[in-house]
Amino acid sequence: MSTTTTATQGRAAVPGPGGPADSPAPAPRVVRQRRRRPGLIALSVALIAAGGLSGALLFTASGQRSSVLVVARDVPVGATLTEADMAPASLALDPVVKAVPAAKRAGLVGQRAAVALKAGSLLSPGQITAVSLVKTGEQLVGVALKPSQLPASRLAPGQKVLIVSTPDPAQAGAAAAGGKPADPAPAPKTLAATVVAVGVAAPATGVVVVDVAVPAADGPVLASRVATGAVALIVAAQEGGS
């Protein structure tokens, strides 16, 4: 007797491993194809490209560096600049910052510091001047001073000082030997001056030569006083000080 297997309508018979179909298989699913939108794809690509370009421009702008000058060591106001006082540096600066290009380093040698310059600071054009501290109608006089003839505080170019005439020790000794009564000491003579440069103290004596600018009429008088050594230097009160 023969057996006939009939497939269920709407189902496909799947043969089993050993012969006839064991169970009906589901009907194949129909996959819908997505519609491509060329306009949307083009917009996405354009946005990605614009973002990358903006990032590149921002990175380039932030990475732009300028070769400028910085102060290599402390320079007092009025001191003459040398090449050793300045050093080149590569810095990223805001356009509003005024700096001196490193290419102008040689042209600044010989000019003076208009303000006190601190090591490591950025050098700006307003901190440098070509004007000498010795003005028209003045003379430059070197005053040799022992440590006891000047303040312990460090002098700086541009500082206002007074040169004081001190009593001559020889004359004072002669008057005492003659037995003459001591006359009231007159007020010491003073001469206003401006410090232009301060030398280095001598190793053995500690004597320091201070260059000062004085009116031309007082230059010879001061030079004669300095020759006797009977002078002292005091710092004048600053304008506006109490």
Side-chain angles (χ1 to χ4, degrees), residues 9-56:
Q9 184 177 3
R11 302 276 181 143
V14 179
D22 295 332
S23 61
R29 296 176 59 184
V30 179
V31 180
R32 294 184 179 180
Q33 295 183 353
R34 297 181 179 179
R35 291 184 58 188
R36 297 182 179 178
R37 300 180 179 179
L40 183 60
I41 295 175
L43 179 61
S44 301
V45 172
L47 291 176
I48 294 173
L53 180 60
S54 300

Side-chain angles (χ1 to χ4, degrees), residues 64 66 91-99 122:
Q64 285 183 347
S66 302
L91 302 175
L93 300 176
D94 191 280
V96 299
V97 178
K98 303 300 181 183
L122 182 67

Side-chain angles (χ1 to χ4, degrees), residues 86-174:
M86 302 168 287
S90 181
L91 302 175
L93 300 176
D94 191 280
V96 299
V97 178
K98 303 300 181 183
V100 180
K104 295 185 177 181
R105 181 181 181 181
L108 298 181
V109 175
Q111 297 193 31
R112 298 181 181 273
V115 297
L117 304 177
K118 296 299 181 181
S121 61
L122 182 67
L123 190 63
S124 63
Q127 296 176 328
I128 308 164
T129 180
V131 179
S132 173
L133 292 178
V134 182
K135 302 176 182 178
T136 303
E138 293 183 338
Q139 291 182 344
L140 187 68
V141 180
V143 183
L145 300 167
K146 300 177 181 178
S148 59
Q149 294 174 298
L150 75 168
S153 301
R154 183 179 179 183
L155 298 174
Q159 200 167 15
K160 302 297 182 181
V161 296
L162 293 176
I163 308 298
V164 183
S165 297
T166 58
D168 188 348
Q171 294 180 358

